[in-house]
Amino acid sequence: MDESDNLRPVEYADPQQFLDATKNWDDSFMNFCLGSVHHHVKRQDGPQCTQQTVHMFALFRADELLIALTRIPNDFSWYMGIPRTALETLERTPDLLASATSELAQSLLTKLPDPLSFDKVIGHKDAVNLLYTTYCSLLPQRGIRVSIDYGVYNVKDSYATRASLPSLSYTTRSSPHTIVPATMDDLEAVAHLYIAFQRDAPWHGIVSHEQALAVVTEPVTEGFVWVCRVDGAVAAYLMLGRATPRTIAVRNVFVAQEHRRKGIAEALVQTVTRYCLGVSIDGVEGVPPGPPPFGVKEEVGLNVEDLGAARIYKRAGYLLPDLEGSRSMPTGGIDPETGRKGWTSSVCWSIKAETTDI
């Protein structure tokens, strides 16, 4: 049987229909795709409602989801998701991955009103490579020539589950600091740290105070931000996001410069991860009783580039590969429940139209 047999691309106009069609594949490797759409739907039901177009595509083989692509208005890029069950198949069957990305590229070119709107995508490294290579090879048929910017974003995506969690570390249990959900009284402090986070990030973002407040206010209100207090002052924060019925993501963690190397980041990550998974956090001051406001999750996902941060996450139970071995052929990070690899490599690539000098 040809690998392209039974491949079925589908475009969705209704976000709820997309979520219904993909709900059986709600895992951390799909979190960017599904979480962003869930968040969009939630905002549509609130005062921030807009009627901008959401792009949602899925590629099935018969009834099995292989790849999903979404673009939410005003988001940074398109998001590609490959569920874990499909990822194992695609990684060991290169011909199927090539056929799937080719089918998806042709569907995008047919359906998108502006071919250049497929301008930036975050996703699985090999799949993004094949998808963009095929898509860009088709654009000259429309009289468009583009170049690919391969960027510097190269991260590991991973997740933690109840089964992957280690015992709560002595560092976390004996921490003299208070780890609590942020309140509205913490907005100014969290915004200040968010500005520093953006400045210190690889992209060296420049964010105004007003922009930072706009970013952090909603997550704080909804219980998605936790802080660590040292002597009563906010010294660090952890922001969650992209909640789906089964998953949630750690979006960013930042510790103020003067409070680093005190175990604060590790205590924050361990505490919040366990809280999201509904696991006991005895001995940590400030953790509220009862389930999270967004519900107990089966997985907490993240993406990480910095090696130091990766070590913290790995100690907290995230299924990242062994960090001291070969970086070209990493091993380890196996899910103890499924036996599958608990991580993957992601990139962010973009395209730009080439101009012709006259």
PDB file of all heavy atoms in Angstrom, residues 4 23 48 56 59 94 115 137 140-141 158 173-174 196 198 209-210 228 232 237 244 251 253 267 272 275 281 317 323:
ATOM      1  N   SER A   4       0.645   7.235   0.855  1.00  0.00           N
ATOM      2  CA  SER A   4      -0.311   8.334   0.722  1.00  0.00           C
ATOM      3  C   SER A   4      -1.761   7.861   0.704  1.00  0.00           C
ATOM      4  O   SER A   4      -2.685   8.672   0.731  1.00  0.00           O
ATOM      5  CB  SER A   4      -0.021   9.128  -0.563  1.00  0.00           C
ATOM      6  OG  SER A   4      -0.164   8.298  -1.696  1.00  0.00           O
ATOM      7  N   LYS A  23     -10.239  15.765  19.933  1.00  0.00           N
ATOM      8  CA  LYS A  23     -10.208  15.607  21.390  1.00  0.00           C
ATOM      9  C   LYS A  23      -9.598  14.283  21.835  1.00  0.00           C
ATOM     10  O   LYS A  23      -9.046  14.192  22.948  1.00  0.00           O
ATOM     11  CB  LYS A  23     -11.604  15.763  21.976  1.00  0.00           C
ATOM     12  CG  LYS A  23     -12.595  14.689  21.534  1.00  0.00           C
ATOM     13  CD  LYS A  23     -13.986  14.966  22.092  1.00  0.00           C
ATOM     14  CE  LYS A  23     -14.985  13.902  21.648  1.00  0.00           C
ATOM     15  NZ  LYS A  23     -16.349  14.208  22.154  1.00  0.00           N
ATOM     16  N   GLN A  48     -13.712  39.887  25.573  1.00  0.00           N
ATOM     17  CA  GLN A  48     -12.678  40.167  24.589  1.00  0.00           C
ATOM     18  C   GLN A  48     -13.004  39.557  23.234  1.00  0.00           C
ATOM     19  O   GLN A  48     -12.140  39.365  22.390  1.00  0.00           O
ATOM     20  CB  GLN A  48     -11.333  39.624  25.092  1.00  0.00           C
ATOM     21  CG  GLN A  48     -10.878  40.340  26.356  1.00  0.00           C
ATOM     22  CD  GLN A  48     -10.203  39.381  27.312  1.00  0.00           C
ATOM     23  OE1 GLN A  48     -10.571  38.232  27.441  1.00  0.00           O
ATOM     24  NE2 GLN A  48      -9.192  39.865  27.985  1.00  0.00           N
ATOM     25  N   MET A  56      -7.573  26.373  10.951  1.00  0.00           N
ATOM     26  CA  MET A  56      -7.429  25.070  11.602  1.00  0.00           C
ATOM     27  C   MET A  56      -7.453  23.968  10.549  1.00  0.00           C
ATOM     28  O   MET A  56      -8.427  23.841   9.790  1.00  0.00           O
ATOM     29  CB  MET A  56      -8.569  24.853  12.611  1.00  0.00           C
ATOM     30  CG  MET A  56      -8.583  25.854  13.761  1.00  0.00           C
ATOM     31  SD  MET A  56     -10.202  25.955  14.579  1.00  0.00           S
ATOM     32  CE  MET A  56     -11.190  26.732  13.277  1.00  0.00           C
ATOM     33  N   LEU A  59      -4.743  16.570   9.384  1.00  0.00           N
ATOM     34  CA  LEU A  59      -4.422  15.560   8.376  1.00  0.00           C
ATOM     35  C   LEU A  59      -4.606  14.195   9.021  1.00  0.00           C
ATOM     36  O   LEU A  59      -3.925  13.859   9.991  1.00  0.00           O
ATOM     37  CB  LEU A  59      -2.991  15.760   7.877  1.00  0.00           C
ATOM     38  CG  LEU A  59      -2.473  15.027   6.625  1.00  0.00           C
ATOM     39  CD1 LEU A  59      -2.146  13.580   6.914  1.00  0.00           C
ATOM     40  CD2 LEU A  59      -3.462  15.120   5.478  1.00  0.00           C
ATOM     41  N   PRO A  94       9.598   7.316   7.467  1.00  0.00           N
ATOM     42  CA  PRO A  94       9.865   8.599   6.800  1.00  0.00           C
ATOM     43  C   PRO A  94       9.007   8.839   5.565  1.00  0.00           C
ATOM     44  O   PRO A  94       8.635   9.982   5.295  1.00  0.00           O
ATOM     45  CB  PRO A  94      11.360   8.503   6.440  1.00  0.00           C
ATOM     46  CG  PRO A  94      11.922   7.502   7.397  1.00  0.00           C
ATOM     47  CD  PRO A  94      10.830   6.512   7.637  1.00  0.00           C
ATOM     48  N   PRO A 115      -1.337  32.919   0.158  1.00  0.00           N
ATOM     49  CA  PRO A 115      -0.328  31.885   0.409  1.00  0.00           C
ATOM     50  C   PRO A 115       0.763  32.323   1.374  1.00  0.00           C
ATOM     51  O   PRO A 115       1.338  31.497   2.093  1.00  0.00           O
ATOM     52  CB  PRO A 115       0.252  31.622  -0.993  1.00  0.00           C
ATOM     53  CG  PRO A 115      -0.818  32.040  -1.932  1.00  0.00           C
ATOM     54  CD  PRO A 115      -1.490  33.203  -1.276  1.00  0.00           C
ATOM     55  N   SER A 137       8.237  24.937  -2.485  1.00  0.00           N
ATOM     56  CA  SER A 137       8.458  24.463  -3.857  1.00  0.00           C
ATOM     57  C   SER A 137       7.214  24.628  -4.721  1.00  0.00           C
ATOM     58  O   SER A 137       7.304  24.664  -5.958  1.00  0.00           O
ATOM     59  CB  SER A 137       8.887  22.995  -3.842  1.00  0.00           C
ATOM     60  OG  SER A 137       7.799  22.134  -3.506  1.00  0.00           O
ATOM     61  N   PRO A 140       6.123  28.915  -6.490  1.00  0.00           N
ATOM     62  CA  PRO A 140       6.389  29.495  -7.821  1.00  0.00           C
ATOM     63  C   PRO A 140       5.262  29.282  -8.815  1.00  0.00           C
ATOM     64  O   PRO A 140       5.118  30.060  -9.765  1.00  0.00           O
ATOM     65  CB  PRO A 140       7.672  28.777  -8.255  1.00  0.00           C
ATOM     66  CG  PRO A 140       8.369  28.467  -6.966  1.00  0.00           C
ATOM     67  CD  PRO A 140       7.264  28.103  -6.029  1.00  0.00           C
ATOM     68  N   GLN A 141       4.428  28.243  -8.590  1.00  0.00           N
ATOM     69  CA  GLN A 141       3.262  28.045  -9.451  1.00  0.00           C
ATOM     70  C   GLN A 141       2.287  29.218  -9.343  1.00  0.00           C
ATOM     71  O   GLN A 141       1.501  29.474 -10.250  1.00  0.00           O
ATOM     72  CB  GLN A 141       2.534  26.750  -9.072  1.00  0.00           C
ATOM     73  CG  GLN A 141       3.375  25.496  -9.174  1.00  0.00           C
ATOM     74  CD  GLN A 141       2.655  24.283  -8.610  1.00  0.00           C
ATOM     75  OE1 GLN A 141       1.448  24.317  -8.341  1.00  0.00           O
ATOM     76  NE2 GLN A 141       3.387  23.187  -8.422  1.00  0.00           N
ATOM     77  N   SER A 158       8.555  18.481  26.149  1.00  0.00           N
ATOM     78  CA  SER A 158       8.416  17.327  27.027  1.00  0.00           C
ATOM     79  C   SER A 158       7.236  17.542  27.953  1.00  0.00           C
ATOM     80  O   SER A 158       6.516  18.537  27.856  1.00  0.00           O
ATOM     81  CB  SER A 158       9.713  17.096  27.815  1.00  0.00           C
ATOM     82  OG  SER A 158       9.658  15.857  28.518  1.00  0.00           O
ATOM     83  N   ARG A 173      11.005  20.772  49.924  1.00  0.00           N
ATOM     84  CA  ARG A 173      10.335  20.588  51.209  1.00  0.00           C
ATOM     85  C   ARG A 173      10.909  21.492  52.298  1.00  0.00           C
ATOM     86  O   ARG A 173      10.208  21.899  53.219  1.00  0.00           O
ATOM     87  CB  ARG A 173      10.429  19.126  51.633  1.00  0.00           C
ATOM     88  CG  ARG A 173       9.507  18.187  50.845  1.00  0.00           C
ATOM     89  CD  ARG A 173       9.519  16.767  51.378  1.00  0.00           C
ATOM     90  NE  ARG A 173      10.767  16.089  51.018  1.00  0.00           N
ATOM     91  CZ  ARG A 173      11.743  15.803  51.864  1.00  0.00           C
ATOM     92  NH1 ARG A 173      11.633  16.163  53.141  1.00  0.00           N
ATOM     93  NH2 ARG A 173      12.821  15.161  51.472  1.00  0.00           N
ATOM     94  N   SER A 174      12.214  21.793  52.186  1.00  0.00           N
ATOM     95  CA  SER A 174      12.858  22.589  53.232  1.00  0.00           C
ATOM     96  C   SER A 174      13.015  24.056  52.856  1.00  0.00           C
ATOM     97  O   SER A 174      13.672  24.815  53.560  1.00  0.00           O
ATOM     98  CB  SER A 174      14.245  21.999  53.543  1.00  0.00           C
ATOM     99  OG  SER A 174      15.086  22.073  52.388  1.00  0.00           O
ATOM    100  N   ALA A 196      11.719  41.686  32.615  1.00  0.00           N
ATOM    101  CA  ALA A 196      13.082  41.162  32.723  1.00  0.00           C
ATOM    102  C   ALA A 196      13.219  39.817  32.009  1.00  0.00           C
ATOM    103  O   ALA A 196      14.241  39.542  31.368  1.00  0.00           O
ATOM    104  CB  ALA A 196      13.464  41.014  34.198  1.00  0.00           C
ATOM    105  N   GLN A 198      11.537  38.813  29.338  1.00  0.00           N
ATOM    106  CA  GLN A 198      11.613  39.097  27.908  1.00  0.00           C
ATOM    107  C   GLN A 198      12.993  39.634  27.527  1.00  0.00           C
ATOM    108  O   GLN A 198      13.569  39.239  26.509  1.00  0.00           O
ATOM    109  CB  GLN A 198      10.529  40.098  27.516  1.00  0.00           C
ATOM    110  CG  GLN A 198       9.130  39.526  27.493  1.00  0.00           C
ATOM    111  CD  GLN A 198       8.892  38.629  26.291  1.00  0.00           C
ATOM    112  OE1 GLN A 198       9.595  38.711  25.285  1.00  0.00           O
ATOM    113  NE2 GLN A 198       7.912  37.759  26.393  1.00  0.00           N
ATOM    114  N   HIS A 209       5.904  48.598  30.305  1.00  0.00           N
ATOM    115  CA  HIS A 209       5.177  48.254  31.520  1.00  0.00           C
ATOM    116  C   HIS A 209       3.706  47.980  31.210  1.00  0.00           C
ATOM    117  O   HIS A 209       3.116  47.013  31.730  1.00  0.00           O
ATOM    118  CB  HIS A 209       5.300  49.401  32.530  1.00  0.00           C
ATOM    119  CG  HIS A 209       4.611  49.132  33.830  1.00  0.00           C
ATOM    120  ND1 HIS A 209       5.066  48.204  34.737  1.00  0.00           N
ATOM    121  CD2 HIS A 209       3.479  49.673  34.375  1.00  0.00           C
ATOM    122  CE1 HIS A 209       4.254  48.178  35.781  1.00  0.00           C
ATOM    123  NE2 HIS A 209       3.286  49.060  35.588  1.00  0.00           N
ATOM    124  N   GLU A 210       3.105  48.780  30.364  1.00  0.00           N
ATOM    125  CA  GLU A 210       1.700  48.598  30.008  1.00  0.00           C
ATOM    126  C   GLU A 210       1.496  47.278  29.259  1.00  0.00           C
ATOM    127  O   GLU A 210       0.509  46.568  29.494  1.00  0.00           O
ATOM    128  CB  GLU A 210       1.218  49.764  29.139  1.00  0.00           C
ATOM    129  CG  GLU A 210       1.106  51.102  29.872  1.00  0.00           C
ATOM    130  CD  GLU A 210       2.480  51.733  30.157  1.00  0.00           C
ATOM    131  OE1 GLU A 210       3.472  51.343  29.499  1.00  0.00           O
ATOM    132  OE2 GLU A 210       2.542  52.599  31.044  1.00  0.00           O
ATOM    133  N   CYS A 228       6.953  33.098  44.039  1.00  0.00           N
ATOM    134  CA  CYS A 228       7.740  32.726  45.210  1.00  0.00           C
ATOM    135  C   CYS A 228       8.086  34.016  45.952  1.00  0.00           C
ATOM    136  O   CYS A 228       8.622  34.950  45.344  1.00  0.00           O
ATOM    137  CB  CYS A 228       9.010  31.984  44.811  1.00  0.00           C
ATOM    138  SG  CYS A 228      10.061  31.557  46.226  1.00  0.00           S
ATOM    139  N   GLY A 232       8.700  38.231  52.043  1.00  0.00           N
ATOM    140  CA  GLY A 232       7.467  38.940  51.712  1.00  0.00           C
ATOM    141  C   GLY A 232       7.404  39.547  50.339  1.00  0.00           C
ATOM    142  O   GLY A 232       6.325  39.939  49.881  1.00  0.00           O
ATOM    143  N   TYR A 237       8.424  34.090  39.432  1.00  0.00           N
ATOM    144  CA  TYR A 237       7.075  33.678  39.046  1.00  0.00           C
ATOM    145  C   TYR A 237       7.141  32.518  38.073  1.00  0.00           C
ATOM    146  O   TYR A 237       8.158  32.285  37.398  1.00  0.00           O
ATOM    147  CB  TYR A 237       6.300  34.852  38.417  1.00  0.00           C
ATOM    148  CG  TYR A 237       6.632  35.105  36.959  1.00  0.00           C
ATOM    149  CD1 TYR A 237       5.882  34.533  35.939  1.00  0.00           C
ATOM    150  CD2 TYR A 237       7.707  35.913  36.597  1.00  0.00           C
ATOM    151  CE1 TYR A 237       6.195  34.749  34.600  1.00  0.00           C
ATOM    152  CE2 TYR A 237       8.018  36.138  35.271  1.00  0.00           C
ATOM    153  CZ  TYR A 237       7.259  35.554  34.276  1.00  0.00           C
ATOM    154  OH  TYR A 237       7.573  35.761  32.954  1.00  0.00           O
ATOM    155  N   THR A 244      -6.044  22.553  28.306  1.00  0.00           N
ATOM    156  CA  THR A 244      -6.986  21.704  27.581  1.00  0.00           C
ATOM    157  C   THR A 244      -7.618  20.770  28.610  1.00  0.00           C
ATOM    158  O   THR A 244      -7.225  20.769  29.777  1.00  0.00           O
ATOM    159  CB  THR A 244      -6.281  20.870  26.489  1.00  0.00           C
ATOM    160  OG1 THR A 244      -5.535  19.809  27.114  1.00  0.00           O
ATOM    161  CG2 THR A 244      -5.339  21.733  25.643  1.00  0.00           C
ATOM    162  N   ARG A 251       4.495  27.980  30.667  1.00  0.00           N
ATOM    163  CA  ARG A 251       4.867  28.920  29.603  1.00  0.00           C
ATOM    164  C   ARG A 251       6.216  29.582  29.887  1.00  0.00           C
ATOM    165  O   ARG A 251       7.051  29.700  28.989  1.00  0.00           O
ATOM    166  CB  ARG A 251       3.779  29.974  29.435  1.00  0.00           C
ATOM    167  CG  ARG A 251       2.481  29.412  28.868  1.00  0.00           C
ATOM    168  CD  ARG A 251       1.462  30.507  28.645  1.00  0.00           C
ATOM    169  NE  ARG A 251       1.961  31.538  27.756  1.00  0.00           N
ATOM    170  CZ  ARG A 251       1.350  32.707  27.554  1.00  0.00           C
ATOM    171  NH1 ARG A 251       0.205  32.970  28.177  1.00  0.00           N
ATOM    172  NH2 ARG A 251       1.852  33.598  26.741  1.00  0.00           N
ATOM    173  N   VAL A 253       9.192  30.581  33.312  1.00  0.00           N
ATOM    174  CA  VAL A 253       9.625  30.650  34.709  1.00  0.00           C
ATOM    175  C   VAL A 253      10.750  31.672  34.767  1.00  0.00           C
ATOM    176  O   VAL A 253      11.658  31.639  33.929  1.00  0.00           O
ATOM    177  CB  VAL A 253      10.139  29.289  35.218  1.00  0.00           C
ATOM    178  CG1 VAL A 253      10.558  29.382  36.686  1.00  0.00           C
ATOM    179  CG2 VAL A 253       9.099  28.198  35.022  1.00  0.00           C
ATOM    180  N   ALA A 267      12.017  24.693  43.198  1.00  0.00           N
ATOM    181  CA  ALA A 267      10.885  24.592  44.123  1.00  0.00           C
ATOM    182  C   ALA A 267       9.588  25.012  43.447  1.00  0.00           C
ATOM    183  O   ALA A 267       8.539  24.372  43.626  1.00  0.00           O
ATOM    184  CB  ALA A 267      11.152  25.451  45.355  1.00  0.00           C
ATOM    185  N   VAL A 272       4.356  23.562  41.491  1.00  0.00           N
ATOM    186  CA  VAL A 272       3.252  23.839  40.569  1.00  0.00           C
ATOM    187  C   VAL A 272       2.934  22.622  39.709  1.00  0.00           C
ATOM    188  O   VAL A 272       1.757  22.327  39.433  1.00  0.00           O
ATOM    189  CB  VAL A 272       3.563  25.076  39.701  1.00  0.00           C
ATOM    190  CG1 VAL A 272       2.445  25.322  38.697  1.00  0.00           C
ATOM    191  CG2 VAL A 272       3.763  26.303  40.575  1.00  0.00           C
ATOM    192  N   TYR A 275       0.928  20.289  41.835  1.00  0.00           N
ATOM    193  CA  TYR A 275      -0.395  20.871  42.057  1.00  0.00           C
ATOM    194  C   TYR A 275      -1.292  20.648  40.835  1.00  0.00           C
ATOM    195  O   TYR A 275      -2.457  20.247  40.969  1.00  0.00           O
ATOM    196  CB  TYR A 275      -0.249  22.355  42.358  1.00  0.00           C
ATOM    197  CG  TYR A 275      -1.547  23.094  42.561  1.00  0.00           C
ATOM    198  CD1 TYR A 275      -2.303  22.914  43.714  1.00  0.00           C
ATOM    199  CD2 TYR A 275      -2.018  23.989  41.601  1.00  0.00           C
ATOM    200  CE1 TYR A 275      -3.499  23.611  43.910  1.00  0.00           C
ATOM    201  CE2 TYR A 275      -3.203  24.687  41.785  1.00  0.00           C
ATOM    202  CZ  TYR A 275      -3.940  24.493  42.948  1.00  0.00           C
ATOM    203  OH  TYR A 275      -5.115  25.173  43.126  1.00  0.00           O
ATOM    204  N   ILE A 281       1.433  17.918  48.100  1.00  0.00           N
ATOM    205  CA  ILE A 281       2.623  18.761  48.215  1.00  0.00           C
ATOM    206  C   ILE A 281       2.839  19.077  49.695  1.00  0.00           C
ATOM    207  O   ILE A 281       2.934  20.230  50.098  1.00  0.00           O
ATOM    208  CB  ILE A 281       2.487  20.058  47.391  1.00  0.00           C
ATOM    209  CG1 ILE A 281       1.770  19.801  46.068  1.00  0.00           C
ATOM    210  CG2 ILE A 281       3.873  20.659  47.100  1.00  0.00           C
ATOM    211  CD1 ILE A 281       1.437  21.036  45.289  1.00  0.00           C
ATOM    212  N   GLY A 317      10.730  15.779  37.146  1.00  0.00           N
ATOM    213  CA  GLY A 317       9.933  14.695  36.593  1.00  0.00           C
ATOM    214  C   GLY A 317       9.564  14.827  35.139  1.00  0.00           C
ATOM    215  O   GLY A 317       8.832  13.986  34.599  1.00  0.00           O
ATOM    216  N   LEU A 323      20.925  14.476  29.542  1.00  0.00           N
ATOM    217  CA  LEU A 323      21.515  15.761  29.169  1.00  0.00           C
ATOM    218  C   LEU A 323      23.024  15.719  29.054  1.00  0.00           C
ATOM    219  O   LEU A 323      23.630  16.655  28.548  1.00  0.00           O
ATOM    220  CB  LEU A 323      21.110  16.818  30.198  1.00  0.00           C
ATOM    221  CG  LEU A 323      19.600  16.981  30.378  1.00  0.00           C
ATOM    222  CD1 LEU A 323      19.302  17.900  31.558  1.00  0.00           C
ATOM    223  CD2 LEU A 323      18.969  17.512  29.116  1.00  0.00           C
TER     224      LEU A 323
END
